[in-house]
Amino acid sequence: MDHNKIVDSLRTVLDPKTGQDIISVGLVSDFQVNGDHVGFTITLDHNDPEIKSKLNFGCIEAIQKVYPQAQVHIHLNSQIANKPKSGVLPQVTNIIAVASGKGGVGKSTVSANLAMALKEKGASVGLMDADLYGPSMPKMFGIEGMKPGIQELYGKHKIVPIETNGIHVVSIGNIVDPEQAVVLRGPRLGGIIKQFVNECIWPSLDYLVIDLPPGTGDIQLTLVQTLPVTGVVMVTTPQQLAYIDAVKAMNMFLLENINVPVLGIVENMSWFSPKEDPSKQYYLFGEGSGRQLANKANSILLGQVPLIMAAGKAGDTGKIAFHESEEFRNIFSDIALNLMKQLKLRNETLDPTQVVQVK
Ligand SMILES: Nc1ncnc2c1ncn2[C@@H]1O[C@H](COP(=O)(O)OP(=O)(O)O)[C@@H](O)[C@H]1O
Ligand SMILES: [Mg+2]
């Protein structure tokens, strides 16, 4: 029996937690083939007998499809005590939250265009629209009315993100009718965020960008209690008022028991240049708060984004500004490069973020 063929056959068996195949997420180890005998270990971070049994039979079936004579010996190991550090979304390398103090400063615009820019660099990218009060992603990506897929995994129904422009998107706007006036409250909000994490089949991702609502509330808290957020990107406009609120929002992430590092600042709506005379820059909202915030956070200014008419229009018409304006595309390409550098530095110098434990 060929070792590689057996491994390939196991790629058809899915991990109940991530929906990815058990080989890709590294559940299988100690592989041995001896005559008609094949043995290996599957290590799980839970002890659910039903899932264990399904995995066991799933593996035997997959191997015997290729080698009907195979005698399969599986050692199912539960490693509950010393769970790997990031047991949540192990298939996602970097989790980036996009936050601000105020609404309307451009978080959703930054999230969507940053996701596009990262994807253009060849990365696999997901986008979680965590602004449950005002989801923007369906409109921004022109996917209003589309529903995410549902896949059954070991008897449970899971959400499959919508793939659009090569990005995997989950938004409450694609699940609940936007017209339906649901008054979502604290505990419900948290539950939905948890579903976006635990009941969603996210593919293997280099980056998961999370578009947050403004400020510090239930959603931000649930997020850091559910996911190991690698870092946060703060968005501000040049106004002093936006700066003051951004500092407050930022401070939540920096709290000792939350400890999510600030990867950088994006200053949005920095200036306006008229088409007739691009050399002119009008600083409609003042200057400097992006850099000021970067200094305060001991971080860097990832980039400044001017007011661009095509960008504002794109957001309203289901076209992504990234595709509509070359200037926008170039700016976000630079922001993505700066962010990638910051992430590399962060991952080399700081420990992985821990999920905040609720006392
Ligand atoms: N740089 C920009 N140039 C022009 N319009 C912009 C720019 N950034 C954001 N907008 C527009 O401003 C509005 C608010 O932006 P949005 O990203 O929804 O903010 P937030 O998510 O912080 O509430 C949207 O209509 C968006 O299209
Ligand atoms: Mg928004």
Side-chain angles (χ1 to χ4, degrees), residues 103-109 111 129 131 134-137 140 211-214:
V105 298
K107 279 178 305 303
S108 302
T109 304
S111 301
D129 187 352
D131 190 346
S136 298
M137 291 312 145
M140 286 199 168
D211 183 24
L212 287 172

Side-chain angles (χ1 to χ4, degrees), residues 17 67 80 91 172-173 231 318:
K17 201 158 173 186
Y67 294 112
I80 298 165
Q91 75 278 34
I172 191 74

Side-chain angles (χ1 to χ4, degrees), residues 92-337:
V92 178
T93 311
N94 294 291
I95 301 173
I96 304 155
V98 178
S100 78
K102 278 191 177 309
V105 298
K107 279 178 305 303
S108 302
T109 304
V110 169
S111 301
N113 289 283
L114 182 58
M116 286 301 297
L118 289 166
K119 201 223 101 202
E120 286 296 276
K121 311 257 174 248
S124 52
V125 183
L127 186 50
M128 185 195 294
D129 187 352
D131 190 346
L132 303 177
Y133 314 100
S136 298
M137 291 312 145
K139 186 150 214 125
M140 286 199 168
F141 280 93
I143 53 169
E144 285 168 299
M146 276 177 76
K147 297 271 174 234
I150 300 290
Q151 189 180 317
E152 199 181 309
L153 195 64
Y154 297 94
K156 294 208 173 88
H157 290 98
K158 305 259 176 175
I159 304 167
V160 183
I162 296 173
E163 193 175 346
T164 172
N165 290 272
I167 292 173
H168 304 268
V169 182
V170 166
S171 172
I172 191 74
N174 294 111
I175 298 171
V176 176
D177 182 358
E179 302 288 298
Q180 202 181 315
V182 218
V183 187
L184 295 167
R185 301 215 190 188
R188 278 294 311 278
L189 295 171
I192 294 170
I193 295 298
K194 287 200 178 110
Q195 277 184 301
F196 282 4
V197 174
N198 298 320
E199 281 160 48
C200 223
I201 300 188
W202 291 102
S204 266
L205 298 174
D206 298 306
Y207 306 98
L208 175 61
V209 178
I210 303 180
D211 183 24
L212 287 172
T216 54
D218 290 311
I219 291 178
Q220 285 82 353
L221 278 175
T222 306
L223 193 74
V224 293
Q225 287 166 358
T226 312
L227 268 180
V229 179
T230 314
V232 59
V233 169
M234 296 297 308
V235 181
T236 183
T237 54
Q239 285 111 318
Q240 272 307 302
L241 273 178
Y243 166 79
I244 291 165
D245 284 358
V247 170
K248 283 189 214 155
M250 185 172 82
N251 283 342
M252 184 203 105
F253 290 99
L254 299 178
L255 284 174
E256 204 179 332
N257 65 331
I258 293 185
N259 208 13
V260 173
V262 176
L263 297 167
I265 314 297
V266 174
E267 188 188 83
N268 190 26
M269 311 188 184
S270 297
W271 63 80
F272 176 74
S273 294
K275 247 204 195 112
E276 302 74 53
D277 186 359
S279 68
K280 278 209 182 93
Q281 294 186 332
Y282 295 99
Y283 292 86
L284 304 178
F285 302 131
E287 273 180 85
S289 81
R291 196 160 297 282
Q292 205 180 343
L293 196 60
N295 291 342
K296 178 100 185 164
N298 254 324
S299 189
I300 68 161
L301 186 58
L302 294 167
Q304 290 173 297
V305 186
L307 276 157
I308 296 176
M309 246 159 93
K313 243 196 222 150
D316 280 345
T317 51
K319 293 179 186 138
I320 308 148
F322 197 81
H323 289 318
E324 299 298 301
S325 154
E326 196 186 341
E327 188 181 357
F328 225 66
R329 194 156 58 242
N330 291 337
I331 289 169
F332 274 94
S333 177
D334 287 346
I335 291 176
L337 281 180

